[in-house]
Amino acid sequence: MFGLFAKNRSFDGGLKLEGHKLHGERGRIRSAPLPRKVILPVAQHIGAPTQPLVEVGQRVLRGQCIAASDNFIAAPVHASISGTVTDIGMHEVPHPSGLPALAIVIESDGQDEASEAAWPACEDPFELDANSLRERVRQAGLVGLGGAAFPSAVKLNPGSSARVETLILNGAECEPYISCDAALMSERADEMVAGARLIMRALGAFECLIGIEDNAPEAAAALRQAINRADAENIALRVVPTRYPQGGEKQLIQALTGKEVPREGLPLDIGIVVHNVGTVTAIWRAIRHAQPLISRIVTVNGPGIAQPMNLEVRLGTPVADLIAFCGGYTATPRLIMGGPMMGFALGSDAVPVVKATNCLLVEVAESEPADQAMPCIRCGECVEVCPARLLPQQLYWHARAREFDKTQDLNLFDCIECGCCAQVCPSQIPLVQYYRYAKTEIYQAEQEKRKADIARNRHEFRLERLEREAREKEEARRRKREALKQKQAAPEEPAASGDAPAPAANDAIAAAIAKAKAEKARRLAESSAPTEKTDGAGDPVAAAIARAKATKAAKASASDAPTETSATAEDPIAAAIANAKAAKAAKAGASETPADSSAEADD
């Protein structure tokens, strides 16, 4: 074991505050009445918001999933009552900004009918492997119930490379007035110890340390008995002195183990995982009984409420319903969600209870305005009580002067905003507000820088794309010009080498072909004449036939010259001359025929 029997240590700074806790019969858990309607924001955790899965007018059952997200860091939302969805829109929710958020409104039907669970109840949860356990925790919509509301399934998945040695259960309710965790440990200690064993199995942790303050003796006694009944030798209860902010994650780790979480690091970096005691109990119920997160224990306390109580409340219940159940206001109220040190004011009691609501503090509104802040007298008391070992005084000066880079040099983001410095400041300077202001400005500047970097990268990418496209177009034009030059140069090269004839040579060839055809026609005519004459030598009929053929040949030759033919057809003188030439040619052919025929006959 690494820290079961180690001596309790302490952290730097801190304050001893009045407890105002609910003990004994006053502190036992009571069930709040079933609300007539619930307002369920779709974002009740740190991470990606969920999206509605239901529509207006749809009937839903208790435990039915009504909003979910595929994002890894997210937790679904379930209907806490059965009834009809009457609205999905923007509603006032408990948030420091006071801004409205998307929420689902369900009107109760009074039946409180349960839906069939999305996963089966498990008789022996210890038979489940780690992946199955994490998946059921995710489906149940479980988040950290200590106030941070970080999805529990993510914290149950440290990664294959991480080594978890110690599981710490945070039961140190260090803020005044809050006693919901103490009531839970007193009345449901067995479920909490069983949940611790289950989480240790999922994480592979060697030991579990339960840290509670010494102002909760009933809870400590109940836990010791539960540990003995479970025979859990690797689970130890560690009672620490009541000191604010003992319930801070880093402060409790240091008090129980003596280890310090590195700056800008996580407890997992030193082999530790921290869960709230309420979260552990809800995990056990989700696995063993298949119950999604639809209710939680809320402390309603303060000088402005008639009957302070610890109530088990359905999520989405309007705060006004709880105030009425506790007897109403005793004076003009000032509502705070959380404790007096780190809580934030609520605009009205119409806002609903959410997963992060651990306390509703009802203070009495002051009739006189608060005292104005006075100049810093450099007393140094803020430095002495700072649990993060910071210099609150200098952080205040730089934040007020908007010198945000210097606040970062002084490790501004190590501030847990516990309010110890403002509590002891004799000048009543709201130091935490200045730190929050500086953090917000730095965050917004980083967001703007990130957007500017994205815009610059997009612009540079666009310029690069345009330049690339211009180069590609220029290259295409260059290739086209080269191809055109090659095409224009191609006809000239054969003429120079003798492979292709020039245009003049083509005309000469055509003239030679025409001349050869004319010569062939003449020879054909000469070769046919003796045959005709041989058939009838000295026969006038044969002579007439020869003349007719000669006339026909003349006409055919005349038709080969369209210019002359057209001219003859138009001019009668030219026609007469052509006829005379034809007759003369016929006579000449007739005079030559006998001689040729006799010669051929002699042969």
Side-chain angles (χ1 to χ4, degrees), residues 295-555:
S295 65
R296 66 155 300 148
I297 301 175
V298 179
T299 298
V300 182
N301 200 354
I305 193 72
Q307 300 175 9
M309 297 182 188
N310 285 319
L311 299 174
E312 184 163 13
V313 183
R314 299 289 180 93
L315 298 180
T317 301
V319 170
D321 292 2
L322 303 184
I323 298 298
F325 184 71
C326 293
Y329 302 115
T330 60
T332 302
R334 177 174 177 263
L335 284 174
I336 295 175
M337 186 176 121
M341 301 298 292
M342 299 184 69
F344 58 88
L346 298 178
S348 72
D349 56 10
V351 300
V353 171
V354 294
K355 295 179 181 181
T357 306
N358 60 347
C359 178
L360 293 172
L361 177 59
V362 185
E363 292 187 336
V364 177
E366 298 179 358
S367 58
E368 298 181 359
D371 295 334
Q372 296 294 325
M374 295 177 288
C376 174
I377 61 174
R378 296 173 175 81
C379 63
E381 291 189 23
C382 56
V383 179
E384 295 179 2
V385 299
C386 179
R389 302 175 184 172
L390 301 178
L391 299 174
Q393 177 181 325
Q394 296 186 28
L395 286 172
Y396 158 67
W397 291 336
H398 294 310
R400 183 176 179 179
R402 298 182 59 85
E403 297 172 345
F404 302 127
D405 54 340
K406 294 183 179 179
T407 62
Q408 289 182 282
D409 294 339
L410 295 173
N411 305 313
L412 170 67
F413 285 91
D414 284 351
C415 172
I416 62 174
E417 302 178 13
C418 63
C420 289
C421 53
Q423 184 71 17
V424 300
C425 180
S427 298
Q428 300 182 1
I429 301 174
L431 297 172
V432 177
Q433 278 75 1
Y434 281 99
Y435 306 152
R436 289 174 179 168
Y437 161 71
K439 289 180 180 180
T440 302
E441 290 296 316
I442 292 172
Y443 175 77
Q444 290 180 349
E446 290 178 351
Q447 290 291 100
E448 293 297 328
K449 181 179 181 301
R450 188 177 295 109
K451 293 179 181 179
D453 291 342
I454 293 174
R456 185 181 66 255
N457 292 336
R458 290 178 58 192
H459 178 66
E460 292 176 354
F461 177 79
R462 179 177 179 273
L463 292 180
E464 181 180 353
R465 176 175 57 81
L466 294 177
E467 292 176 359
R468 183 179 67 254
E469 291 176 353
R471 291 194 300 268
E472 292 174 353
K473 290 180 180 179
E474 181 61 29
E475 180 65 19
R477 286 193 292 266
R478 184 187 65 79
R479 291 195 298 266
K480 187 175 182 180
R481 288 194 299 268
E482 291 181 355
L484 183 61
K485 289 181 180 179
Q486 292 177 0
K487 185 176 181 180
Q488 291 176 349
E492 299 178 357
E493 294 178 357
S497 59
D499 294 336
N506 292 337
D507 295 341
I509 293 173
I513 293 173
K515 184 177 180 181
K517 287 182 178 180
E519 182 65 20
K520 182 177 180 180
R522 186 184 65 77
R523 290 179 181 178
L524 180 62
E526 290 178 354
S527 63
S528 62
T531 304
E532 296 171 356
K533 193 61 182 175
T534 303
D535 294 338
D539 189 355
V541 176
I545 292 171
R547 286 195 299 272
K549 289 183 177 182
T551 303
K552 184 178 180 180
K555 290 181 180 180

Side-chain angles (χ1 to χ4, degrees), residues 237-310:
L237 177 66
R238 305 290 293 278
V239 180
V240 295
T242 300
R243 190 180 182 191
Y244 179 80
Q246 188 81 255
E249 189 176 64
K250 295 182 178 180
Q251 285 68 40
L252 186 62
I253 290 174
Q254 186 175 358
L256 296 184
T257 68
K259 298 180 180 179
E260 293 189 30
V261 179
R263 178 165 293 163
E264 298 182 359
L266 298 173
L268 188 60
D269 298 334
I270 56 176
I272 297 175
V273 172
V274 182
H275 279 280
N276 178 263
V277 292
T279 307
V280 175
T281 306
I283 289 175
W284 172 258
R285 290 195 167 192
I287 303 301
R288 176 64 182 84
H289 305 290
Q291 292 182 3
L293 183 59
I294 60 173
S295 65
R296 66 155 300 148
I297 301 175
V298 179
T299 298
V300 182
N301 200 354
I305 193 72
Q307 300 175 9
M309 297 182 188
N310 285 319

Side-chain angles (χ1 to χ4, degrees), residues 9 14 67 146 157 159 214 385 392 522 542 547 556 560:
R9 295 170 176 82
N157 186 19
D214 57 10
V385 299
R522 186 184 65 77
R547 286 195 299 272
D560 292 338

